[in-house]
Amino acid sequence: MNAALAPPPSAPPPAETPTHYLNANYGFRSWMFTLDHKRIALLYLASITLFFFIGGFYAVMLRLELVTPAGDLMSAENYNKSFTMHGVMMVFFFLIPSIPAVLGNFLIPLMIGARDLAFPRLNLLSWYIYMAGGMLTLYAMVAGGVDTGWTMYTPYSTTYSNSHVMVMAVGIFINGFSSILTGLNFIVTIHKMRAPGLTWFRLPLFVWAHYATSVIQVLGTPVIAITILLVALERGFGFGFFDPKLGGDPILFQHLFWFYSHPAVYIMILPSMGVVSELVTCFSRKKVFGYKFIAMSSVAIAVFGFLVWGHHMFVSGQSIYAGMIFSFLSFLVGIPSAIKVFNWTATMYKGSISYHTPMLYVFGFIGLFTIGGLTGLIVANLGLDVHLHDTYFIVAHFHYIMVGGAVMGYLGGIHFWWPKITGRLYPEGWARFSALVLFVGFNLTFFPQFLVGYLGMPRRYHAYPEEFQVFNVMSSAGASILGLGYLIPMIYLTWSWRYGKLAPPNPWGAKGLEWTTPSPPTTFNFEETPVVTEEAYAYAQEQETEESH
Amino acid sequence: MWTGFPLFPEAASTVAGGVDALYWFVIAISVFFSAGIFAAIFYFALRYSRKSLDEVPKPIHGSLALEITWSVIPFLITMVMFGWGTSLFFRNFHPPEGAMEIFVTGKQWMWKLQHPEGQREINELHVPVGRAVKLTMATEDVIHSFYIPAFRVKKDVVPGIYSSMWFEPTKPGKYHLFCAEYCGNQHSGMIGWVHVLSEPDYEAWLSGAPRGETMAQAGERLFQRLGCFTCHRADSPGRGPVLEGVFGSTVQLENGVKVVADEVYLRESILKPSAKTVAGYRTQMPTFQGQISEEGLMQVIAYIKSIARQERMNTPQ
Ligand SMILES: [Cu+2]
Ligand SMILES: [Cu+2]
């Protein structure tokens, strides 16, 4: 009798998709007013991608112009506006928010076993502030553009430029608050919301890196905000801060600007280092080598990063003794970065290494970051920087750090957590292929710039002497390959969101609380607050317990 | 157009060789370390590639000895680079005694150069080989940066102050002069040539170039035109102090401080008279900010310097 009511044993289980954060509710409002850190992360993902492609568009224009020595494709004015917008978009609206606002936002609560960030409303507000700043800057762009360079040196920016400096300044000023609030939110969350048992030294290194980054964001960003405000006051109302004709000091601006903008480099690279630490352990399936040294080197970088700004001003007329101290500290700040590279490499020793796409990005990161870091020793050197300052050598150096380092880490992270974020797997073959394209394109673009920089080609040149052409042609050719390397992931990732294979909760066999949740996670991440009983990256845990039987 | 594949800039000054040597040193160390890291990564990636899906390697927690080694060794190496680079910089910083002087003004978007003997050039600079040249530089507007790659020298020209740099060319030839600090629309057009001439060629150039009056003569004319002489008279102190002999002397200020009257001091005295008042005078001198160009200012200072020299020659020792 009862047997008739029971379903036949061969029938499939009801094909009902479980509820998760993406399908919990639908509609425009459900996104615009969401307080879910994961959805806010996706809002950021969409917006930084937009800004990245705008910044990229300008890069294409620059590289096209530089194919020939003469300034023939566009006017000098448009060239100057293009490199300004390229820099502003990439630095303030892509690189600085990239990993923290997307991956950090998505992952920090998941990694520490929390249901959300400490201040979900503040988190949403940060995104709105970011968009307001971004839109204002875009407005400055369409209204006619800005030609000060992203560095906005005075008195050019305050007195001489005839472009929309004010609007852009206000845009960047507003955007700063988004950065400050995100940092604050992360700091409080990491302090207060760790799951029981998750002590500081059990935290994933990704979280440590974000903690250090947040400290820089909170302490550094107010300085740039104030500086830009001073620029606006001088430009708009004739207050004399920087223009000597008004009784100001142009070098003061450079001190204030770099006091933030050097640490800002670490806002970009530290999170990327956090990503690499996660990836290298997972794809070596082995506990990270020297956990505490990697964690503490992030903190050391955050602290020392605040003390080296003067290395941008070696030829500005700054006292030679100040130059000496800044040079010394700049060498010093290289050491924690070196420690990280050595520890990642050592993590691979006697590991079980697989070559999935995220790991390819790790290889790319370590290779390019090493070159970026070592050329840093050249430009931190007083005796050499006199020649190299403001040449393409500098351009190459910081692109190795900020694209070769920060962007490689970002893409590696996006691929690694893509199954968690979307519940789908990306196509591995295409992904590996595009990682390779990126690596080749990147080196072809930026390596020649080291050479032409040492030859003496100044940066921000719309036209240049003929003997520099061969390097610029190589660079532009590389840039077109690089562009392709960005477009392919755009396409297959978007495709996989709908059509990719369904992802299991832990496709990589990775450690970390985020992988104990379903893919994609539910709105509140964890049914029950997890209790942590082991160190981070305890890949050998089961085996050890087996052995002890 | 194919112009070859130059890998290294011409080295045409006394400091270029030292800079290149240090560059090669840092490059060599960098290549050594990156090769080591790349080799290790390749080797580990191949040697320890995943053999079976369920293999779990033994954990290694770290090693204090290793951490100390790879912190201390890089630290020591970077300190060598730092020491070398800093001493090079310090050595290259101060111009040698008796360098010939040239005055540079940057202006959107050109370089104006004045020789003390009166020759004036725009975006071209003629100098003799084998003699140290000291540049005193000012800008009429924004920041520029005077850069001669073949000499490995560069210095920002910052509004409101005099910047200075020096070089000693070692090879006759024609070398690029760039503005390295972004300065607006025609930044990439703010370029020119430095012509390094052999001593006879230089003499020929000097005598061939239109000379006009010397800088000091031009300065004297300005001194008259701007009415400086009404207060600064040659013989007796008028409302302002006597300027004969003031250059290079130590001036006692109203606030008790003593300063050496160099170019920077003279410039400030003319543009911001109230910033440093000479002892015994009330601040009566009007500011000349905005009434005199940086070029003119350099001429006036050249004039004040010239009367200092005459003074010294006239006083019996
Ligand atoms: Cu810096
Ligand atoms: Cu210039």
Short mmCIF file of all heavy atoms in Angstrom, two decimals, chain A residues 67-89:
data_model
loop_
_atom_site.label_atom_id
_atom_site.label_comp_id
_atom_site.label_asym_id
_atom_site.label_seq_id
_atom_site.Cartn_x
_atom_site.Cartn_y
_atom_site.Cartn_z
N VAL A 67 52.82 55.43 -33.05
CA VAL A 67 53.41 54.57 -34.09
C VAL A 67 54.37 55.37 -34.96
O VAL A 67 55.42 54.89 -35.36
CB VAL A 67 52.30 53.91 -34.95
CG1 VAL A 67 52.89 53.20 -36.15
CG2 VAL A 67 51.51 52.93 -34.10
N THR A 68 54.01 56.61 -35.24
CA THR A 68 54.91 57.45 -36.04
C THR A 68 55.49 58.55 -35.18
O THR A 68 54.84 59.02 -34.24
CB THR A 68 54.13 58.12 -37.19
OG1 THR A 68 53.03 58.83 -36.61
CG2 THR A 68 53.63 57.09 -38.17
N PRO A 69 56.71 58.98 -35.50
CA PRO A 69 57.35 60.03 -34.68
C PRO A 69 56.59 61.35 -34.71
O PRO A 69 56.52 62.03 -33.69
CB PRO A 69 58.72 60.20 -35.34
CG PRO A 69 58.93 58.99 -36.17
CD PRO A 69 57.60 58.47 -36.55
N ALA A 70 56.05 61.71 -35.86
CA ALA A 70 55.36 63.00 -35.92
C ALA A 70 54.02 62.89 -35.21
O ALA A 70 53.44 61.83 -35.12
CB ALA A 70 55.13 63.39 -37.38
N GLY A 71 53.55 64.01 -34.69
CA GLY A 71 52.25 64.01 -34.04
C GLY A 71 51.18 64.20 -35.09
O GLY A 71 50.73 65.30 -35.31
N ASP A 72 50.79 63.10 -35.77
CA ASP A 72 49.94 63.27 -36.94
C ASP A 72 48.53 62.75 -36.78
O ASP A 72 47.64 63.15 -37.50
CB ASP A 72 50.61 62.63 -38.16
CG ASP A 72 51.31 61.34 -37.80
OD1 ASP A 72 51.02 60.79 -36.72
OD2 ASP A 72 52.16 60.88 -38.58
N LEU A 73 48.30 61.84 -35.84
CA LEU A 73 46.96 61.25 -35.77
C LEU A 73 45.98 62.20 -35.09
O LEU A 73 44.85 62.36 -35.50
CB LEU A 73 47.03 59.94 -34.99
CG LEU A 73 45.70 59.22 -34.87
CD1 LEU A 73 45.33 58.60 -36.20
CD2 LEU A 73 45.75 58.17 -33.79
N MET A 74 46.44 62.85 -34.03
CA MET A 74 45.56 63.78 -33.33
C MET A 74 46.38 64.99 -32.91
O MET A 74 47.60 64.98 -32.97
CB MET A 74 44.94 63.09 -32.11
CG MET A 74 45.94 62.48 -31.17
SD MET A 74 45.16 61.78 -29.72
CE MET A 74 45.59 60.08 -29.84
N SER A 75 45.68 66.01 -32.45
CA SER A 75 46.38 67.22 -32.03
C SER A 75 47.10 66.97 -30.70
O SER A 75 46.76 66.05 -29.97
CB SER A 75 45.38 68.35 -31.85
OG SER A 75 44.52 68.04 -30.77
N ALA A 76 48.08 67.81 -30.42
CA ALA A 76 48.79 67.70 -29.15
C ALA A 76 47.81 67.79 -27.99
O ALA A 76 47.91 67.07 -27.00
CB ALA A 76 49.84 68.80 -29.04
N GLU A 77 46.84 68.67 -28.14
CA GLU A 77 45.88 68.87 -27.07
C GLU A 77 45.11 67.57 -26.79
O GLU A 77 44.95 67.17 -25.63
CB GLU A 77 44.92 69.97 -27.50
CG GLU A 77 44.00 70.40 -26.41
CD GLU A 77 43.00 71.43 -26.91
OE1 GLU A 77 43.29 72.10 -27.93
OE2 GLU A 77 41.94 71.53 -26.30
N ASN A 78 44.66 66.91 -27.86
CA ASN A 78 43.92 65.68 -27.65
C ASN A 78 44.80 64.57 -27.12
O ASN A 78 44.34 63.73 -26.35
CB ASN A 78 43.23 65.24 -28.95
CG ASN A 78 42.00 66.07 -29.21
OD1 ASN A 78 41.44 66.66 -28.29
ND2 ASN A 78 41.60 66.15 -30.47
N TYR A 79 46.04 64.56 -27.55
CA TYR A 79 46.96 63.56 -27.01
C TYR A 79 47.12 63.76 -25.50
O TYR A 79 47.03 62.82 -24.73
CB TYR A 79 48.32 63.68 -27.70
CG TYR A 79 49.30 62.65 -27.21
CD1 TYR A 79 49.32 61.37 -27.74
CD2 TYR A 79 50.20 62.95 -26.19
CE1 TYR A 79 50.19 60.42 -27.27
CE2 TYR A 79 51.08 62.00 -25.70
CZ TYR A 79 51.07 60.73 -26.26
OH TYR A 79 51.94 59.78 -25.77
N ASN A 80 47.33 65.01 -25.11
CA ASN A 80 47.50 65.29 -23.69
C ASN A 80 46.25 64.93 -22.89
O ASN A 80 46.34 64.42 -21.77
CB ASN A 80 47.84 66.77 -23.48
CG ASN A 80 49.14 67.16 -24.14
OD1 ASN A 80 49.95 66.30 -24.47
ND2 ASN A 80 49.34 68.44 -24.37
N LYS A 81 45.11 65.19 -23.46
CA LYS A 81 43.87 64.83 -22.77
C LYS A 81 43.73 63.31 -22.70
O LYS A 81 43.22 62.79 -21.71
CB LYS A 81 42.67 65.44 -23.49
CG LYS A 81 42.62 66.95 -23.30
CD LYS A 81 41.47 67.59 -24.02
CE LYS A 81 41.41 69.07 -23.66
NZ LYS A 81 40.46 69.79 -24.52
N SER A 82 44.21 62.64 -23.73
CA SER A 82 44.09 61.18 -23.74
C SER A 82 44.94 60.55 -22.64
O SER A 82 44.46 59.66 -21.92
CB SER A 82 44.50 60.60 -25.09
OG SER A 82 43.63 61.05 -26.09
N PHE A 83 46.19 61.00 -22.50
CA PHE A 83 46.98 60.33 -21.45
C PHE A 83 46.49 60.72 -20.06
O PHE A 83 46.61 59.94 -19.12
CB PHE A 83 48.49 60.49 -21.64
CG PHE A 83 49.09 61.85 -21.41
CD1 PHE A 83 49.10 62.43 -20.15
CD2 PHE A 83 49.69 62.54 -22.45
CE1 PHE A 83 49.67 63.67 -19.94
CE2 PHE A 83 50.26 63.79 -22.24
CZ PHE A 83 50.25 64.35 -20.99
N THR A 84 45.90 61.91 -19.96
CA THR A 84 45.32 62.28 -18.67
C THR A 84 44.16 61.35 -18.32
O THR A 84 44.10 60.79 -17.22
CB THR A 84 44.82 63.73 -18.71
OG1 THR A 84 45.90 64.58 -19.06
CG2 THR A 84 44.25 64.15 -17.38
N MET A 85 43.26 61.17 -19.28
CA MET A 85 42.09 60.33 -18.99
C MET A 85 42.50 58.88 -18.80
O MET A 85 41.94 58.17 -17.98
CB MET A 85 41.06 60.44 -20.13
CG MET A 85 40.31 61.76 -20.16
SD MET A 85 39.85 62.41 -18.54
CE MET A 85 38.47 61.38 -18.13
N HIS A 86 43.48 58.43 -19.58
CA HIS A 86 43.97 57.06 -19.40
C HIS A 86 44.44 56.86 -17.96
O HIS A 86 44.04 55.92 -17.28
CB HIS A 86 45.10 56.77 -20.39
CG HIS A 86 45.83 55.49 -20.11
ND1 HIS A 86 45.24 54.25 -20.26
CD2 HIS A 86 47.10 55.24 -19.68
CE1 HIS A 86 46.11 53.30 -19.94
NE2 HIS A 86 47.25 53.88 -19.58
N GLY A 87 45.27 57.79 -17.50
CA GLY A 87 45.81 57.67 -16.14
C GLY A 87 44.74 57.77 -15.08
O GLY A 87 44.68 56.96 -14.16
N VAL A 88 43.88 58.77 -15.21
CA VAL A 88 42.87 58.98 -14.18
C VAL A 88 41.92 57.79 -14.10
O VAL A 88 41.62 57.27 -13.02
CB VAL A 88 42.09 60.29 -14.47
CG1 VAL A 88 40.86 60.38 -13.59
CG2 VAL A 88 42.99 61.47 -14.23
N MET A 89 41.45 57.33 -15.25
CA MET A 89 40.52 56.21 -15.27
C MET A 89 41.17 54.96 -14.68
O MET A 89 40.60 54.27 -13.85
CB MET A 89 40.08 55.91 -16.71
CG MET A 89 39.05 56.87 -17.23
SD MET A 89 37.53 56.62 -16.31
CE MET A 89 36.89 58.27 -16.27
#
